[in-house]
């Protein structure tokens, strides 16, 4: 039986992440408050942002930008989108 967590993004009980997806305190916070579904959706958005905006993940500014986008995504605020991206089925 999988564990559940009250998801910060969806405001309901959903399957929990099996491990902290980030190091340190932030990773523990994400594991405790973000569902597997929300994290998988974030990973897809993060990948599009990295690729389309040509982010260098060695650069502190790029990492800071992604963390800001992560917070906005989890708080259901508007996030940047990859230009020209059209979700499947639209």
């Amino acid at each position: 039986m999988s564990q559940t967590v009250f998801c910060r993004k969806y405001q309901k009980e959903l399957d929990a992440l099996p491990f902290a997806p980030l190091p340190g305190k932030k990773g523990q916070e994400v594991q405790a408050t973000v569902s597997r579904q929300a994290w998988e959706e974030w990973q897809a958005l993060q990948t599009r942002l990295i690729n389309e905006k040509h982010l260098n993940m060695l650069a502190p500014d790029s990492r800071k930008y992604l963390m800001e986008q992560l917070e906005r995504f989890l708080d259901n605020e508007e996030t940047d989108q990859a230009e020209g991206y059209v979700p499947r089925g639209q």
Side-chain angles (χ1 to χ4, degrees), residues 39-80:
W39 188 255
E40 288 173 357
E41 290 173 10
W42 161 249
Q43 286 182 307
L45 175 59
Q46 173 183 253
T47 299
R48 288 192 304 273
L49 291 173
I50 291 169
N51 290 339
E52 294 296 321
K53 296 187 178 292
H54 306 286
L55 299 178
N56 174 359
M57 296 318 300
L58 297 176
D61 287 347
S62 292
R63 292 193 307 270
K64 180 181 178 194
Y65 166 78
L66 278 181
M67 290 307 290
E68 290 169 356
Q69 293 301 304
L70 169 61
E71 291 300 319
R72 295 178 66 79
F73 175 80
L74 294 176
D75 290 338
N76 291 310
E77 296 174 3
E78 189 171 329
T79 60
D80 289 348

